[in-house]
Amino acid sequence: MRVPPGVSAGDFAAAIAAFERIVGKDWVFTSDDDLNLYRDAYSPYLNEPEERIASAAVAPTTTEEVQEIVRVANRYKIPIYPISTGRNLGYGGAAPAYSGSVVVDLKRMNRILEVNERHAYALVEPGVSYFDLYNYIQEHKLKVWIDCPDPGWGSPVGNSIDRGGGYTNANFRNHFDSHCGMEVVLPDGELLRTGMGAIPNSQTWQAYKTGCGPWVDGIFSQSNYGVVTKMGFWLMPQPEAYMRCTVRAPRFSDLGPLVDTLSYLENSRITTGFPDLSSPLLSYPPIGQIQLWNENGPPKLSDEHIKLLADVKQGYSAELEAYGVKEGIPYWELWLSFYGPMEVIEASWRATQRHYGKIDGVQFRVVDKLNLPIDPSTAEKYHEPELGVPSLRIFSIGARTPWNPTPSHGHMWFSPIIPRTAEAIIEANRVFSEAARDLGMPLFKTFTLPACFWERSFVFILATPVTEDPATNKRYREGFKKLIEVGGKHGWGEYRTAPAFQKTVMDQYSYNNHALQRFHETLKDAIDPNGIMSPGRYAIWPKSLRGVQS
Amino acid sequence: MMRMRRTLGGPAAAAAIMSLIVAPAFAQRPAGHYAAGRAVYRKWCAPCHDPGITHPGTHALMTKYKGVKSGVLLEWTDLPASTVKYMVRHGILLMPPFRKTEITDQELDALARFLSRNTPGGR
Ligand SMILES: Cc1cc2nc3c(=O)[nH]c(=O)nc-3n(C[C@H](O)[C@H](O)[C@H](O)COP(=O)(O)OP(=O)(O)OC[C@H]3O[C@@H](n4cnc5c(N)ncnc54)[C@H](O)[C@@H]3O)c2cc1C
């Protein structure tokens, strides 16, 4: 049996026996075969000694069982690591941040406690996946939409706790922002409800976020201050209609007005769906079309076009631009989505076109115009999450296809937040492509466009492959850390990262001699004196391990 | 402790060719025999393995077998239950393994029975 570091075999055996009494023998896992299922399938340390491995896993079904597990962990000083659906691929999978931790697998806590159509919210347990919630809503014919990330097997709770993002309206895409009310088992086993939930018999737990006094919800995301056992989420009332349109701009220099106008339109709530930047001329897809490109191959380019692409520098080439103008291939194409009554959508689209009218040679097209709901069987004609439908289709990224004969074993997402400007896009391309080239990381083809998950910023996402070759993985891993540092020097930081990189990322958040990190540690010591809860998650270590671990 | 992920090698390819020669032996079972396994398939496998290239697992297998055999698991006649179980618990390439809190051993047995139903001697 594996034993957590610093724990005696006797104490561990006693803890395991106690866990078995709490959840039953069938739901405590200690064999290597069973624990392999908790490894991160996309680990950047795949099959290397540093790969994070659990010493056991325990799978409760109720909040009371979670409380008991936490008390046992305190009694024997056992590090535990709660996961919800454990599908955090690309950001750490189901593996603990600290090797030897006992994973508390909440997948069996899978009750949908309420879906309220009248007030458009849901209250769920951690094991409820996006597929589960979607199916429940369909079966009960409720007129509300979920906002899901691309992979539908993750959970509202797990995804939002790691502050993931989705694809419908702006006020739902930021999954942590769209939550309302939490129930948390604290590291000493105490039970806490946040916001209005702190009032016994609260009538508005899922209706008003902050309650009164300090709003503490944020500290339970990307942290290690508790086990979240329930969470409320605001849902979008099923919209009447959907329209997807594009704005095409002919010249490289149009990127500035394209982005600035987008910011104005989004911040004014004129366009609210997921904005998606692409470049037909650079053959760079919008995120919503990636799966189609993987399935059907990228659009065919002429020989001349391919030749011109070879000479592009930092996304620009005068010859390519001239070719685009001649052939009617736009440099940029911004995809916009609108939800609502058709007359409102049409008016928003008219206003959008008026604002973009200042770009010389701009063109507009309406790609889809749908009355909702659509028949779910036709959802695959679209990027499903933009219609509130979960799927796993995005796993075509890196998968074997006729266009990708060498499938990968996974990827780690490099995802710094950069300013929402054309200058920042160009600067990030220059900075990261030069660094990646020097580090021998094949991350850039011609140019990378950022994702617009959230208003007011961009996420500059680069997928770094995981291979079966430890030497290659080592090079990418070290390169990944260098890229994080390079970003930090430019004032950019990751929005989220896998345990392997959490220290490097958090080191960039160093204002005033790491005041933020020190505050995290002060909290940690106060809330979790035994240091049992997810040690090391987002580089927050308990006192006993501080400075020892990296 | 090391979990090496493997690709199916020569024996699978040989079995694929065999399956073209040996007619599928459709097991005679009472209706409902495969219901539990089918339900597991629908929940956990279908999103990636149902027919059509919008299912990345199917597209990958179609590309791999280049028409020598179908990319659709449901149509395979050379898929022993043991292979189903191995794949679910080990994963392959981008497909991660599935935990027992997701697919229990009992559910996995049912799934393996269902997916190997057309495989002669597949149990
Ligand atoms: C091809 C691909 C595409 C992707 N696309 C997206 C995307 O569009 N958007 C996006 O956001 N992500 C995306 N991801 C990343 C990831 O797959 C999802 O974010 C996924 O939802 C996270 O897994 P999960 O929901 O199962 O969370 P979990 O793995 O359950 O949780 C994540 C982490 O949060 C903590 N945690 C979870 N539950 C609790 C709890 N109850 N109490 C305390 N701590 C807890 C744990 O530290 C855990 O490791 C993508 C990944 C891949 C491979």
Side-chain angles (χ1 to χ4, degrees):
Chain A
M1 197 193 287
R2 296 172 193 163
V3 174
V7 176
S8 73
D11 276 359
F12 193 53
I16 293 294
F19 292 149
E20 287 175 349
R21 279 195 296 278
I22 298 165
V23 300
K25 267 192 179 349
D26 284 353
W27 299 107
V28 178
F29 303 106
T30 55
S31 75
D32 282 357
D33 278 353
D34 287 351
L35 295 178
N36 279 341
L37 304 174
Y38 289 87
R39 290 171 59 180
D40 174 11
Y42 296 2
S43 171
Y45 288 99
L46 195 65
N47 294 326
E48 292 182 62
E50 296 93 333
E51 194 192 323
R52 273 101 172 143
I53 311 273
S55 63
V58 47
T61 50
T62 65
T63 298
E64 293 72 25
E65 289 177 2
V66 173
Q67 289 179 280
E68 287 184 57
I69 289 166
V70 168
R71 291 192 188 109
V72 169
N74 273 289
R75 190 172 327 135
Y76 298 103
K77 311 268 190 304
I78 310 283
I80 58 174
Y81 188 85
I83 58 168
S84 289
T85 32
R87 288 282 159 213
N88 205 8
L89 295 165
Y91 293 113
Y98 178 46
S99 245
S101 301
V102 174
V103 173
V104 181
D105 181 347
L106 304 173
K107 179 66 198 165
R108 297 172 69 226
M109 290 182 66
N110 58 5
R111 288 179 305 157
I112 295 168
L113 299 165
E114 186 183 3
V115 177
N116 187 311
E117 188 181 55
R118 186 175 177 199
H119 298 294
Y121 69 78
L123 179 67
V124 294
E125 290 189 331
V128 174
S129 72
Y130 288 102
F131 281 123
D132 296 336
L133 187 54
Y134 173 82
N135 290 336
Y136 178 96
I137 289 168
Q138 295 301 305
E139 279 157 24
H140 292 80
K141 300 195 175 9
L142 300 170
K143 291 195 171 53
V144 284
W145 272 24
I146 61 167
D147 185 289
C148 52
D150 258 307
W153 55 14
S155 48
V157 174
N159 180 281
S160 64
I161 287 179
D162 216 23
R163 300 208 291 257
Y167 296 95
T168 69
N169 260 345
N171 50 329
F172 302 101
R173 288 201 302 270
N174 183 325
H175 293 158
F176 190 76
D177 266 9
S178 69
H179 97 274
C180 187
M182 283 179 160
E183 181 185 84
V184 187
V185 173
L186 295 173
D188 61 357
E190 191 69 83
L191 191 63
L192 174 89
R193 285 189 175 179
T194 68
M196 298 310 289
I199 294 190
N201 194 26
S202 167
Q203 305 293 300
T204 51
W205 192 17
Q206 270 63 62
Y208 183 72
K209 292 185 180 186
T210 60
C212 214
W215 188 37
V216 297
D217 291 41
I219 69 164
F220 297 108
S221 66
Q222 295 192 354
S223 70
N224 49 18
Y225 302 137
V227 185
V228 177
T229 46
K230 291 183 182 63
M231 225 166 145
F233 293 93
W234 285 353
L235 305 172
M236 172 150 81
Q238 177 185 291
E240 290 176 23
Y242 169 75
M243 189 154 87
R244 194 162 53 147
C245 314
T246 78
V247 179
R248 296 174 142 187
R251 284 169 305 272
F252 183 78
S253 60
D254 294 332
L255 188 58
L258 199 68
V259 168
D260 287 343
T261 305
L262 172 64
S263 293
Y264 170 79
L265 293 169
E266 276 208 288
N267 296 344
S268 313
R269 290 284 192 266
I270 295 167
T271 174
T272 55
F274 178 70
D276 210 352
L277 280 167
S278 72
S279 172
L281 202 51
L282 296 171
S283 196
Y284 192 90
I287 290 176
Q289 302 274 303
I290 288 177
Q291 54 194 35
L292 280 178
W293 285 38
N294 290 339
E295 289 157 8
N296 302 306
K300 293 252 178 317
L301 307 181
S302 72
D303 290 345
E304 188 182 357
H305 194 164
I306 293 168
K307 213 164 106 240
L308 289 168
L309 276 174
D311 294 325
V312 169
K313 298 269 175 319
Q314 306 302 345
Y316 181 66
S317 141
E319 291 76 28
L320 182 71
E321 184 177 279
Y323 173 81
V325 169
K326 179 173 69 124
E327 298 293 326
I329 306 171
Y331 224 110
W332 313 112
E333 183 163 37
L334 171 64
W335 295 61
L336 297 171
S337 295
F338 299 85
Y339 304 86
M342 196 58 93
E343 63 268 36
V344 176
I345 288 178
E346 282 173 344
S348 300
W349 176 228
R350 272 199 304 278
T352 300
Q353 293 176 79
R354 179 162 54 75
H355 280 277
Y356 274 120
K358 63 185 171 231
I359 296 179
D360 193 23
V362 70
Q363 287 182 341
F364 303 105
R365 67 183 179 121
V366 174
V367 183
D368 297 304
K369 198 169 175 179
L370 306 172
N371 285 310
L372 299 173
I374 55 159
D375 174 352
S377 68
T378 64
E380 71 172 34
K381 283 200 273 183
Y382 313 97
H383 178 219
E384 293 87 338
E386 288 183 53
L387 291 173
V389 179
S391 126
L392 290 182
R393 206 167 155 192
I394 200 63
F395 281 86
S396 62
I397 291 186
R400 193 193 307 270
T401 64
W403 302 276
N404 182 27
T406 51
S408 84
H409 283 254
H411 26 253
M412 16 188 204
W413 301 113
F414 177 68
S415 37
I417 299 286
I418 63 166
R420 201 179 250 245
T421 62
E423 296 91 301
I425 298 176
I426 293 164
E427 178 72 349
N429 268 280
R430 187 186 64 74
V431 167
F432 289 127
S433 68
E434 285 173 8
R437 187 198 55 213
D438 294 349
L439 295 162
M441 300 173 81
L443 303 183
F444 284 81
K445 281 189 186 139
T446 45
F447 198 66
T448 291
L449 285 167
C452 315
F453 280 109
W454 301 298
E455 302 164 285
R456 298 182 193 246
S457 64
F458 283 136
V459 200
F460 196 79
I461 302 178
L462 297 172
T464 314
V466 174
T467 72
E468 278 206 320
D469 172 35
T472 307
N473 288 344
K474 181 165 191 280
R475 185 156 51 82
Y476 287 171
R477 225 157 51 211
E478 285 168 4
F480 197 107
K481 289 184 186 167
K482 288 268 161 41
L483 290 180
I484 294 167
E485 288 165 357
V486 167
K489 288 203 181 77
H490 286 81
W492 307 322
E494 308 283 291
Y495 90 97
R496 171 186 185 187
T497 200
F501 308 111
Q502 286 172 351
K503 179 181 184 323
T504 314
V505 166
M506 294 314 293
D507 278 350
Q508 311 311 309
Y509 288 79
S510 63
Y511 172 77
N512 188 19
N513 188 25
H514 302 266
L516 183 61
Q517 176 75 20
R518 287 183 285 118
F519 181 68
H520 293 160
E521 291 169 354
T522 304
L523 276 179
K524 183 70 180 164
D525 295 342
I527 298 175
D528 183 14
N530 290 325
I532 53 117
M533 190 66 70
S534 304
R537 178 157 152 80
Y538 284 90
I540 307 168
W541 291 98
K543 231 184 201 134
S544 57
L545 295 171
R546 210 165 289 157
V548 183
Q549 291 293 327
S550 60
Chain B
M1 183 160 126
M2 293 292 143
R3 172 172 59 85
M4 301 305 296
R5 290 194 257 158
R6 295 192 197 94
T7 43
L8 276 181
I17 293 162
M18 281 301 291
S19 72
L20 296 176
I21 304 163
V22 181
F26 288 99
Q28 294 299 306
R29 299 281 185 184
H33 181 74
Y34 297 114
R38 192 187 300 274
V40 178
Y41 170 85
R42 289 246 53 86
K43 174 159 185 177
W44 288 104
C45 318
C48 281
H49 286 288
D50 254 5
I53 59 168
T54 58
H55 303 279
T58 299
H59 200 191
L61 292 169
M62 282 167 66
T63 310
K64 180 169 176 174
Y65 293 111
K66 297 188 172 67
V68 173
K69 77 172 180 181
S70 162
V72 181
L73 292 184
L74 289 174
E75 294 169 2
W76 281 15
T77 53
D78 60 345
L79 182 57
S82 56
T83 304
V84 174
K85 291 183 188 178
Y86 182 88
M87 286 298 166
V88 168
R89 294 293 187 226
H90 292 80
I92 183 167
L93 293 166
L94 288 169
M95 171 182 154
F98 292 80
R99 310 190 303 278
K100 293 187 174 178
T101 51
E102 297 174 311
I103 302 174
T104 63
D105 282 339
Q106 204 185 350
E107 287 168 337
L108 184 53
D109 282 342
L111 174 70
R113 251 193 325 273
F114 170 60
L115 285 178
S116 63
R117 72 200 178 292
N118 296 331
T119 300
R123 299 291 306 281

